Amino acid sequence: RAVRAVEILSWMGKALAYRGDRVATPALKIIIDLLNDLITSSLNYSPHVTHAAAQGFGIMMADEGEWRFSDVYGVKMSKFYRQRIFLQNYTSLMASLATDSKSISGKSAERQSVIKTNALLALSHLMQHAPTASVKPSLPKLIPHIMRALGSSSVSPSTSNDTDKMKTSLKISALFAVFKLLDRTMVHIDPYSDVLIDSCLQFTRFRSRKEVRIVALKCLKLLVNLPYHKLHRRKRQVVNELAEVLDDPKRVVRKVARECRNAWFMLKGNLTRL
């Protein structure tokens, strides 16, 4: 029931932000407090509520498919509503990541770890959907956290463990956020090429969602635009591992896999900067 209430609050916050209403700001503040366990700490703690608050930012920022308000009802979107949500909440979410769990009385290190995981999930939702121009100034601080999430230990998509589910959700959201950046700019990505390659190769075998496999393959294809000296030692590994994806049960995935593998197979350059 509490998780459902957070989801409803997220939709209400989205509706208010959509129309540019000032009440959207306190609604977002409540969601931030729920994420940071500032409201539920006196009750029975539930990581599901914290996770729902983080996912609420995905609800508020996304505007396609099931997350879009229907135009049938004459909904009009306020200009720059995504920019406002990003700018209003970026600082608070970064503060949640910077908090030292030892300095928080009454909260275990495990609980604080869950809060940090979900704060990063919320940030990845913001990063994924906010305009690049709004996100770009914050990239030097954001990218290390996002890459750390992508580089975390692999998790099975079929796991029933709640903590593992949260980590998997975070990694997927981070992957989509990085894809958006790669599609527009390579700035700040260069030092993390190995982390990205490993993570994308892992996600090409993520059987639960074909969309995740497709985005992972598209990320790998975009990475060929990095300097050759960053990629040459990984070329054979990527080409060999992508051969397995050519047998994916989904035709659209096989098509993207062929394009990605060909791009890596044709990768050429010089090593003068080694």
Side-chain angles (χ1 to χ4, degrees):
R1 183 178 297 179
V3 170
R4 186 61 178 163
V6 175
E7 291 174 355
I8 293 171
L9 178 62
S10 299
W11 278 104
M12 291 173 62
K14 177 171 184 163
L16 291 166
Y18 231 69
R19 58 179 291 183
D21 199 303
R22 293 179 182 179
V23 183
T25 300
L28 289 168
K29 176 65 166 57
I30 293 173
I31 295 175
I32 288 282
D33 288 346
L34 285 167
L35 189 152
N36 285 323
D37 190 29
L38 297 178
I39 294 177
T40 59
S41 57
S42 60
L43 307 174
N44 292 328
Y45 168 69
S46 172
H48 301 291
V49 173
T50 302
H51 185 63
Q55 293 286 40
F57 283 94
I59 292 173
M60 289 184 284
M61 294 293 284
D63 194 37
E64 62 276 340
E66 61 180 317
W67 308 115
R68 182 179 178 85
F69 284 127
S70 176
D71 296 331
V72 175
Y73 301 104
V75 176
K76 294 183 179 180
M77 184 177 71
S78 173
K79 200 173 183 180
F80 307 127
Y81 99 91
R82 288 193 186 88
Q83 288 96 317
R84 282 196 294 270
I85 292 178
F86 177 83
L87 294 173
Q88 287 174 355
N89 297 280
Y90 166 77
T91 302
S92 297
L93 291 170
M94 286 299 290
S96 299
L97 290 177
T99 303
D100 183 2
S101 59
K102 295 180 181 179
S103 65
I104 299 183
S105 58
K107 293 184 183 178
S108 66
E110 181 181 356
R111 182 183 298 192
Q112 191 59 27
S113 175
V114 171
I115 291 172
K116 287 184 177 183
T117 297
N118 285 304
L120 188 50
L121 174 59
L123 276 167
S124 65
H125 282 312
L126 294 180
M127 185 176 166
Q128 180 181 340
H129 297 289
T132 305
S134 301
V135 177
K136 202 169 182 178
S138 307
L139 285 179
K141 292 182 179 179
L142 268 174
I143 287 294
H145 293 294
I146 294 295
M147 291 302 171
R148 196 153 44 242
L150 275 176
S152 60
S153 58
S154 59
V155 181
S156 170
S158 60
T159 181
S160 59
N161 183 281
D162 290 335
T163 302
D164 287 350
K165 283 182 177 179
M166 289 181 192
K167 290 179 179 179
T168 301
S169 178
L170 169 59
K171 290 189 71 171
I172 292 172
S173 184
L175 175 71
F176 277 73
V178 168
F179 172 63
K180 175 188 172 180
L181 286 179
L182 286 173
D183 201 27
R184 290 168 173 79
T185 176
M186 288 287 180
V187 178
H188 308 297
I189 296 294
D190 198 315
Y192 302 98
S193 57
D194 284 330
V195 173
L196 262 177
I197 290 171
D198 290 335
S199 183
C200 288
L201 286 174
Q202 176 192 336
F203 274 120
T204 60
R205 299 184 290 273
F206 192 84
R207 295 300 176 188
S208 298
R209 290 174 57 189
K210 70 176 180 180
E211 296 83 5
V212 174
R213 304 199 297 277
I214 290 171
V215 168
L217 288 164
K218 288 182 176 180
C219 277
L220 275 174
K221 185 180 177 182
L222 288 170
L223 284 175
V224 301
N225 294 315
L226 288 173
Y228 179 72
H229 71 279
K230 290 276 187 180
L231 306 175
H232 82 282
R233 60 188 177 82
R234 304 298 302 272
K235 176 179 175 179
R236 180 177 295 181
Q237 177 197 359
V238 173
V239 170
N240 289 342
E241 292 197 27
L242 287 180
E244 301 175 15
V245 191
L246 297 178
D247 294 326
D248 192 278
K250 297 295 183 179
R251 183 174 61 180
V252 63
V253 178
R254 296 196 298 270
K255 179 178 181 294
V256 180
R258 284 196 303 272
E259 294 172 354
C260 177
R261 189 169 185 263
N262 287 341
W264 275 84
F265 189 80
M266 298 299 293
L267 188 63
K268 292 180 180 179
N270 61 74
L271 304 179
T272 56
R273 292 183 59 186
L274 277 177

